[in-house]
Amino acid sequence: LIIHPVIFRLNVKVDGKEPCLDLVLENLLTKEVSTLSSQIKNSWKFLKGIDEYMTDVEKMFQDTFIHKEYVYNVCSKFANYLRENGDETLADELMERAIIHDNSKIVNKDEFRALTGIINDKSCLKDASSKLSQFKQDSIELHWKHNKHHPEYFEKIEDMTKLDKMEMCCDWAARAIQYNTNLLEFVEKRQEDRFHFPELIYDEVYHYCKILISL
């Protein structure tokens, strides 16, 4: 099952109250209606924390699809950069990854259930110095096992491909934009307290992140 890069708008009134979901029905391939700046407007309820009327399951769906759209747009910018530098194949492969990014959060029942249980904890996304609690790490391990853009997928980090690392950096950049955090600070902190990449891999990852910031 492939979830295409589409955000859904479902305005359902419950007893005259706020809608249960407010997701935008837009084809992400249409650049005119899907830009990085437009997503703040489209996702204000979730990003500003005005989501008391939503169940955790609804929050999980909304968070996943909003994040997928951010990632798609960041990947689009990186892919354009790659094409400008003569790497059409890698650009196309990155966009294929962007389309299916984080689909496992929705299509895998066990993963969806585990991540829904921690949907209200955004500490590690908003604060680069925040570390994963054991409970949160246990909950998110299923997601790591299903997605090659997470270093924890690999027994040996050297097995992570260039494409894996690029998608990973786009994922980080998307979260940095969503939560208005410092991307390079995040990379530096995570290298220190979690990833411990070999020097050459760390330099490569840091380089990709600096490119994304410039874009």
Side-chain angles (χ1 to χ4, degrees), residues 20-72:
C20 294
L21 291 175
D22 190 15
L23 306 175
V24 181
L25 180 56
E26 292 176 354
N27 188 323
L28 304 191
L29 298 176
T30 309
K31 295 179 181 178
E32 291 77 15
V33 298
S34 178
T35 64
L36 288 173
S37 60
S38 72
Q39 302 323 307
I40 296 295
K41 178 180 179 181
N42 290 338
S43 57
W44 66 271
K45 292 175 183 175
F46 189 83
L47 297 181
K48 291 183 179 297
I50 306 174
D51 56 5
E52 293 85 357
Y53 59 90
M54 300 175 72
T55 67
D56 287 349
V57 168
E58 290 168 338
K59 291 177 189 176
M60 182 63 195
F61 276 110
Q62 174 137 302
D63 182 56
T64 300
F65 285 108
I66 287 173
H67 178 60
K68 280 174 62 65
E69 186 166 13
Y70 274 98
V71 170
Y72 186 88

Coordinates of all heavy atoms in Angstrom, one line a residue, residues 20-72:
C20 N -13.3 17.5 13.8 CA -12.4 16.5 14.4 C -11.1 16.4 13.7 O -10.0 16.2 14.3 CB -13.1 15.2 14.3 SG -14.5 15.0 15.4
L21 N -11.1 16.7 12.4 CA -9.9 16.7 11.6 C -9.9 17.9 10.7 O -10.9 18.3 10.2 CB -9.7 15.4 10.7 CG -9.5 14.1 11.5 CD1 -9.5 13.0 10.4 CD2 -8.1 14.2 12.1
D22 N -8.7 18.5 10.4 CA -8.7 19.6 9.5 C -7.4 19.4 8.7 O -6.4 20.0 8.9 CB -8.6 20.9 10.2 CG -8.8 22.1 9.2 OD1 -9.2 21.9 8.1 OD2 -8.5 23.2 9.6
L23 N -7.5 18.5 7.7 CA -6.4 18.1 6.9 C -6.6 18.6 5.5 O -7.8 18.5 5.0 CB -6.1 16.6 6.9 CG -5.9 16.0 8.3 CD1 -5.8 14.5 8.3 CD2 -4.7 16.6 9.0
V24 N -5.6 19.1 4.8 CA -5.9 19.8 3.5 C -5.8 18.8 2.4 O -4.8 18.1 2.2 CB -4.8 20.9 3.4 CG1 -5.0 21.6 2.1 CG2 -4.9 21.8 4.6
L25 N -6.8 18.8 1.5 CA -6.8 17.9 0.3 C -6.1 18.7 -0.8 O -6.7 19.5 -1.5 CB -8.3 17.6 0.0 CG -8.5 16.7 -1.3 CD1 -7.7 15.4 -1.1 CD2 -9.9 16.4 -1.5
E26 N -4.8 18.4 -0.9 CA -4.0 19.0 -2.0 C -3.0 18.0 -2.5 O -2.4 17.3 -1.8 CB -3.3 20.2 -1.4 CG -4.2 21.4 -1.1 CD -3.4 22.5 -0.5 OE1 -2.2 22.3 -0.2 OE2 -4.0 23.6 -0.2
N27 N -2.9 17.9 -3.8 CA -1.9 17.1 -4.4 C -0.5 17.7 -4.2 O -0.3 18.9 -4.7 CB -2.2 16.9 -5.9 CG -1.3 15.8 -6.5 OD1 -0.1 15.7 -6.2 ND2 -1.8 15.0 -7.4
L28 N 0.4 17.1 -3.5 CA 1.7 17.7 -3.2 C 2.5 17.9 -4.5 O 3.5 18.6 -4.4 CB 2.4 16.9 -2.2 CG 1.7 16.6 -0.9 CD1 2.6 16.0 0.1 CD2 1.0 17.8 -0.3
L29 N 2.2 17.3 -5.6 CA 2.9 17.5 -6.8 C 2.6 18.8 -7.4 O 3.3 19.3 -8.3 CB 2.6 16.4 -7.8 CG 3.0 14.9 -7.3 CD1 2.6 13.9 -8.4 CD2 4.5 14.8 -7.1
T30 N 1.6 19.5 -7.0 CA 1.2 20.8 -7.5 C 1.9 21.9 -6.7 O 1.4 22.2 -5.6 CB -0.3 21.0 -7.4 OG1 -1.0 19.9 -8.0 CG2 -0.8 22.3 -8.1
K31 N 3.0 22.4 -7.2 CA 3.8 23.3 -6.4 C 3.1 24.5 -6.0 O 3.3 25.2 -5.0 CB 5.1 23.6 -7.2 CG 6.0 22.4 -7.4 CD 7.2 22.8 -8.2 CE 8.1 21.6 -8.5 NZ 9.3 22.0 -9.3
E32 N 2.1 25.0 -6.8 CA 1.4 26.2 -6.6 C 0.7 26.2 -5.3 O 0.5 27.3 -4.6 CB 0.5 26.6 -7.7 CG 1.2 26.9 -9.1 CD 1.7 25.7 -9.8 OE1 1.3 24.6 -9.4 OE2 2.5 25.8 -10.7
V33 N 0.2 25.1 -4.9 CA -0.6 25.0 -3.7 C 0.1 24.3 -2.5 O -0.5 24.2 -1.4 CB -2.0 24.3 -3.9 CG1 -2.8 25.0 -5.0 CG2 -1.7 22.8 -4.3
S34 N 1.3 23.9 -2.7 CA 2.0 23.2 -1.7 C 3.4 23.7 -1.5 O 4.3 23.4 -2.3 CB 2.1 21.7 -2.0 OG 2.8 21.0 -1.0
T35 N 3.6 24.7 -0.7 CA 4.9 25.3 -0.4 C 5.2 25.2 1.1 O 4.3 25.0 1.9 CB 4.9 26.8 -0.8 OG1 4.0 27.5 0.0 CG2 4.5 26.9 -2.3
L36 N 6.5 25.3 1.4 CA 6.8 25.2 2.8 C 6.1 26.3 3.7 O 5.7 26.0 4.7 CB 8.4 25.4 3.0 CG 9.2 24.2 2.4 CD1 10.7 24.5 2.5 CD2 8.9 22.9 3.3
S37 N 6.1 27.5 3.1 CA 5.5 28.6 3.9 C 4.0 28.4 4.1 O 3.4 28.8 5.1 CB 5.7 29.9 3.2 OG 5.2 29.9 1.9
S38 N 3.3 27.7 3.1 CA 1.9 27.6 3.2 C 1.5 26.6 4.3 O 0.3 26.6 4.8 CB 1.3 27.1 1.9 OG 1.7 25.7 1.7
Q39 N 2.4 25.7 4.7 CA 2.0 24.7 5.7 C 1.8 25.2 7.1 O 1.0 24.6 7.9 CB 3.0 23.6 5.7 CG 3.3 22.9 4.3 CD 2.0 22.8 3.5 OE1 1.0 22.2 4.0 NE2 2.0 23.3 2.3
I40 N 2.4 26.3 7.4 CA 2.1 26.9 8.7 C 0.7 27.3 8.8 O 0.0 27.0 9.8 CB 3.0 28.1 9.0 CG1 4.5 27.7 9.0 CG2 2.6 28.8 10.3 CD1 4.8 26.8 10.2
K41 N 0.1 27.9 7.8 CA -1.3 28.2 7.7 C -2.2 27.0 7.8 O -3.2 27.0 8.5 CB -1.5 29.1 6.5 CG -3.0 29.5 6.3 CD -3.2 30.3 5.0 CE -4.7 30.7 4.9 NZ -4.9 31.5 3.6
N42 N -1.8 26.0 7.0 CA -2.7 24.8 6.9 C -2.7 24.0 8.2 O -3.7 23.3 8.4 CB -2.2 23.9 5.7 CG -2.4 24.5 4.4 OD1 -3.3 25.4 4.3 ND2 -1.7 24.1 3.4
S43 N -1.6 24.1 9.0 CA -1.5 23.2 10.1 C -1.5 23.9 11.4 O -1.0 23.4 12.4 CB -0.3 22.3 10.0 OG 0.9 23.1 9.8
W44 N -2.0 25.1 11.5 CA -1.9 25.9 12.7 C -2.5 25.3 13.9 O -1.9 25.4 15.0 CB -2.5 27.3 12.4 CG -4.0 27.2 12.3 CD1 -4.7 27.1 11.1 CD2 -5.0 27.3 13.3 NE1 -6.0 27.0 11.3 CE2 -6.3 27.2 12.6 CE3 -5.0 27.5 14.7 CZ2 -7.5 27.2 13.4 CZ3 -6.2 27.5 15.4 CH2 -7.4 27.4 14.7
K45 N -3.5 24.6 13.8 CA -4.2 24.0 15.0 C -3.3 23.0 15.7 O -3.1 23.0 16.9 CB -5.5 23.3 14.6 CG -6.6 24.2 14.1 CD -7.8 23.5 13.6 CE -8.8 24.5 13.1 NZ -10.0 23.8 12.5
F46 N -2.6 22.2 14.8 CA -1.7 21.2 15.5 C -0.4 21.8 16.0 O 0.0 21.6 17.1 CB -1.4 20.1 14.4 CG -0.7 18.9 15.1 CD1 -1.4 17.9 15.7 CD2 0.7 18.8 15.1 CE1 -0.7 16.9 16.3 CE2 1.4 17.8 15.7 CZ 0.7 16.8 16.3
L47 N 0.2 22.7 15.1 CA 1.5 23.2 15.5 C 1.4 24.2 16.7 O 2.3 24.3 17.4 CB 2.1 23.9 14.3 CG 2.4 23.0 13.1 CD1 3.1 23.8 12.0 CD2 3.4 21.9 13.5
K48 N 0.2 24.8 16.8 CA 0.1 25.8 18.0 C -0.5 25.1 19.2 O -0.8 25.7 20.2 CB -0.8 26.9 17.5 CG -0.2 27.9 16.5 CD -1.1 29.1 16.2 CE -0.4 30.0 15.2 NZ 0.8 30.6 15.8
G49 N -0.8 23.8 19.1 CA -1.3 23.0 20.2 C -2.7 23.2 20.5 O -3.2 22.8 21.5
I50 N -3.5 23.7 19.5 CA -4.9 23.9 19.7 C -5.6 22.6 19.2 O -6.2 22.6 18.1 CB -5.5 25.1 19.0 CG1 -4.7 26.4 19.4 CG2 -6.9 25.3 19.2 CD1 -5.0 27.6 18.6
D51 N -5.5 21.5 19.9 CA -5.9 20.2 19.5 C -6.7 19.5 20.6 O -6.8 18.2 20.5 CB -4.8 19.4 18.9 CG -3.7 19.2 20.0 OD1 -3.9 19.7 21.1 OD2 -2.6 18.6 19.7
E52 N -7.2 20.2 21.5 CA -7.9 19.5 22.7 C -9.1 18.7 22.2 O -9.4 17.8 22.9 CB -8.3 20.6 23.7 CG -7.1 21.3 24.4 CD -6.6 22.5 23.7 OE1 -7.1 22.7 22.6 OE2 -5.7 23.1 24.2
Y53 N -9.7 19.1 21.1 CA -10.9 18.5 20.6 C -10.5 17.2 19.9 O -11.4 16.5 19.5 CB -11.7 19.4 19.7 CG -10.9 19.9 18.5 CD1 -10.9 19.2 17.3 CD2 -10.1 21.0 18.6 CE1 -10.2 19.6 16.2 CE2 -9.4 21.4 17.5 CZ -9.4 20.7 16.3 OH -8.7 21.1 15.2
M54 N -9.3 16.9 19.6 CA -8.9 15.7 18.8 C -8.5 14.6 19.7 O -7.9 14.7 20.8 CB -7.7 16.1 18.0 CG -7.9 17.2 17.0 SD -6.4 17.7 16.1 CE -6.3 16.2 15.0
T55 N -8.8 13.4 19.3 CA -8.4 12.2 20.0 C -6.9 11.9 19.6 O -6.4 12.5 18.6 CB -9.2 10.9 19.5 OG1 -8.9 10.7 18.1 CG2 -10.7 11.2 19.7
D56 N -6.2 11.1 20.4 CA -4.8 10.8 20.0 C -4.7 10.2 18.7 O -3.7 10.4 18.0 CB -4.2 9.9 21.1 CG -3.9 10.7 22.4 OD1 -4.1 11.9 22.4 OD2 -3.7 10.0 23.4
V57 N -5.6 9.4 18.3 CA -5.6 8.7 17.0 C -5.7 9.8 15.9 O -4.9 9.8 14.9 CB -6.7 7.7 16.8 CG1 -6.9 7.3 15.3 CG2 -6.5 6.5 17.7
E58 N -6.6 10.8 16.0 CA -6.7 11.9 15.1 C -5.4 12.7 15.0 O -4.9 13.1 13.9 CB -7.9 12.8 15.4 CG -9.2 12.1 15.2 CD -10.4 12.8 15.8 OE1 -10.2 13.7 16.7 OE2 -11.5 12.6 15.3
K59 N -4.8 12.9 16.2 CA -3.5 13.7 16.2 C -2.5 12.9 15.5 O -1.6 13.5 14.8 CB -3.1 13.9 17.7 CG -4.0 14.8 18.5 CD -3.5 14.9 19.9 CE -4.4 15.7 20.8 NZ -3.9 15.6 22.2
M60 N -2.5 11.6 15.6 CA -1.5 10.8 14.9 C -1.6 10.9 13.4 O -0.6 11.1 12.7 CB -1.6 9.3 15.4 CG -0.6 8.4 14.8 SD 1.1 8.8 15.3 CE 2.0 7.8 14.1
F61 N -2.8 10.8 12.9 CA -3.0 10.9 11.5 C -2.6 12.3 11.0 O -1.9 12.5 10.0 CB -4.5 10.7 11.1 CG -4.8 9.3 10.9 CD1 -5.6 8.6 11.8 CD2 -4.4 8.6 9.8 CE1 -6.0 7.3 11.6 CE2 -4.7 7.2 9.6 CZ -5.5 6.6 10.5
Q62 N -3.0 13.3 11.8 CA -2.7 14.7 11.3 C -1.2 15.0 11.4 O -0.7 15.5 10.4 CB -3.5 15.7 12.3 CG -3.1 17.2 12.0 CD -4.2 18.1 12.0 OE1 -5.2 17.9 11.2 NE2 -4.2 19.1 12.8
D63 N -0.5 14.5 12.4 CA 0.9 14.8 12.5 C 1.6 14.1 11.4 O 2.6 14.6 10.8 CB 1.4 14.2 13.9 CG 2.9 14.5 14.1 OD1 3.3 15.7 14.0 OD2 3.6 13.5 14.4
T64 N 1.2 12.8 11.1 CA 1.9 12.1 10.1 C 1.8 12.7 8.7 O 2.8 12.9 8.0 CB 1.4 10.6 10.0 OG1 1.6 10.0 11.3 CG2 2.1 9.8 8.9
F65 N 0.6 13.1 8.3 CA 0.4 13.7 7.0 C 0.9 15.1 6.9 O 1.5 15.5 5.8 CB -1.1 13.7 6.6 CG -1.6 12.3 6.3 CD1 -2.5 11.6 7.1 CD2 -1.2 11.7 5.1 CE1 -2.9 10.3 6.8 CE2 -1.6 10.4 4.7 CZ -2.5 9.7 5.6
I66 N 0.9 15.9 7.9 CA 1.5 17.2 7.9 C 3.0 17.0 7.7 O 3.6 17.7 6.9 CB 1.2 18.0 9.2 CG1 -0.3 18.5 9.1 CG2 2.1 19.2 9.3 CD1 -0.8 19.1 10.4
H67 N 3.6 16.1 8.5 CA 5.0 15.9 8.4 C 5.4 15.4 7.0 O 6.5 15.8 6.5 CB 5.5 15.0 9.5 CG 7.0 14.7 9.4 ND1 7.9 15.7 9.6 CD2 7.6 13.5 9.2 CE1 9.1 15.1 9.5 NE2 9.0 13.8 9.3
K68 N 4.7 14.5 6.5 CA 5.0 14.0 5.2 C 5.0 15.1 4.1 O 5.8 15.1 3.2 CB 3.9 13.0 4.7 CG 4.1 11.6 5.3 CD 3.0 10.6 5.0 CE 2.9 10.4 3.5 NZ 4.1 9.7 2.9
E69 N 4.1 16.1 4.3 CA 4.1 17.2 3.3 C 5.3 18.1 3.5 O 5.9 18.5 2.5 CB 2.8 18.0 3.5 CG 2.7 19.1 2.4 CD 1.3 19.7 2.3 OE1 0.5 19.5 3.2 OE2 1.1 20.4 1.3
Y70 N 5.7 18.3 4.7 CA 7.0 19.1 4.9 C 8.2 18.3 4.3 O 9.0 18.9 3.6 CB 7.2 19.3 6.4 CG 6.6 20.5 7.0 CD1 5.4 20.4 7.7 CD2 7.1 21.7 6.9 CE1 4.8 21.4 8.3 CE2 6.5 22.8 7.5 CZ 5.3 22.7 8.2 OH 4.7 23.8 8.8
V71 N 8.3 17.1 4.5 CA 9.4 16.3 4.0 C 9.4 16.3 2.5 O 10.4 16.4 1.9 CB 9.3 14.8 4.6 CG1 10.3 13.9 3.9 CG2 9.6 14.8 6.1
Y72 N 8.2 16.1 1.9 CA 8.1 16.1 0.5 C 8.6 17.5 -0.1 O 9.4 17.4 -1.1 CB 6.7 15.9 0.0 CG 6.5 15.8 -1.5 CD1 6.6 14.5 -2.1 CD2 6.3 16.9 -2.3 CE1 6.5 14.4 -3.4 CE2 6.2 16.7 -3.7 CZ 6.3 15.5 -4.2 OH 6.2 15.3 -5.6

